[in-house]
Amino acid sequence: MRRLTLEIRSLNVCLEDFLHVRAKALGISGTQLAILMAVMDLDKDGGAPAGVVAKLMKVDPSFITLHSKALEKVGFVRRKTGIRDARVVQLSLTDKARKRLANIAAQQQELDQFVFGELGLEESTRLSSRLAALRMRLERARLKAELDTGAASARGRGRR
């Protein structure tokens, strides 16, 4: 398990480094590129709620607010208050962002083929599903560990 954990952590570092290289080509940070990619994936008829983007990225909504404002300043994101609920901010990509992302898409596709090509579609899909299942189990294990630790701490305090 330690070896698997180290490999996954190493993969994460490599993916983060790669994201920063891609982002630099757009003149933004890796975090901001990750937000753009999340908005692109989640945008359904007029945008993606900032809170949903935050949940997908496992960050606090204020983090998305901060970076989406910076992306708005450079003309990559449009921020609109929700029609039904003014507390909800809808994020959508601007035409400028879509064009810039399209410009690097061909290069990205070539690199994806280089990195993941030997897996093939079926194996890649299976690997993604297994990693998602592993992530869900890890999240449940973390919650269980927090509960166990909290219970152990409470028991320990009662003995003093």
Side-chain angles (χ1 to χ4, degrees):
M1 283 311 297
R2 284 189 192 140
R3 179 67 184 199
L4 176 62
T5 301
L6 289 173
E7 289 298 336
I8 290 172
R9 285 179 186 227
S10 294
L11 280 171
N12 185 50
V13 169
C14 289
L15 289 169
E16 287 291 322
D17 288 348
F18 190 69
L19 186 67
H20 288 287
V21 169
R22 298 253 113 306
K24 191 174 179 182
L26 296 171
I28 57 177
S29 71
T31 298
Q32 291 169 339
L33 179 55
I35 291 170
L36 290 180
M37 292 178 353
V39 170
M40 187 168 42
D41 287 347
L42 295 170
D43 189 347
K44 303 286 186 250
D45 300 324
V52 175
V53 174
K55 281 183 183 175
L56 176 68
M57 294 182 65
K58 303 222 180 288
V59 296
D60 190 82
S62 63
F63 182 81
I64 300 300
T65 299
L66 176 74
H67 285 284
S68 65
K69 286 181 178 180
L71 287 165
E72 184 179 41
K73 284 182 183 177
V74 295
F76 282 176
V77 166
R78 202 172 5 268
R79 296 169 34 88
K80 292 190 286 188
T81 56
I83 296 169
R84 295 184 191 143
D85 186 347
R87 296 172 297 175
V88 175
V89 175
Q90 294 288 116
L91 303 176
S92 59
L93 299 183
T94 63
D95 288 339
K96 175 183 176 180
R98 291 183 192 284
K99 287 177 187 172
R100 297 284 301 274
L101 290 169
N103 286 343
I104 63 169
Q107 187 180 21
Q108 180 66 42
Q109 204 168 19
E110 185 179 312
L111 290 169
D112 286 348
Q113 179 61 34
F114 172 74
V115 174
F116 301 108
E118 71 181 40
L119 290 177
L121 181 60
E122 187 177 314
E123 192 173 338
S124 178
T125 302
R126 192 170 37 248
L127 177 60
S128 294
S129 294
R130 287 184 175 162
L131 288 173
L134 178 61
R135 179 185 46 80
M136 289 172 39
R137 285 192 303 273
L138 284 169
E139 288 174 359
R140 285 194 302 264
R142 179 189 54 82
L143 290 173
K144 183 181 179 335
E146 285 177 0
L147 289 172
D148 291 348
T149 303
S153 296
R155 283 192 300 264
R157 275 188 239 121
R159 291 183 182 155
R160 287 186 187 170

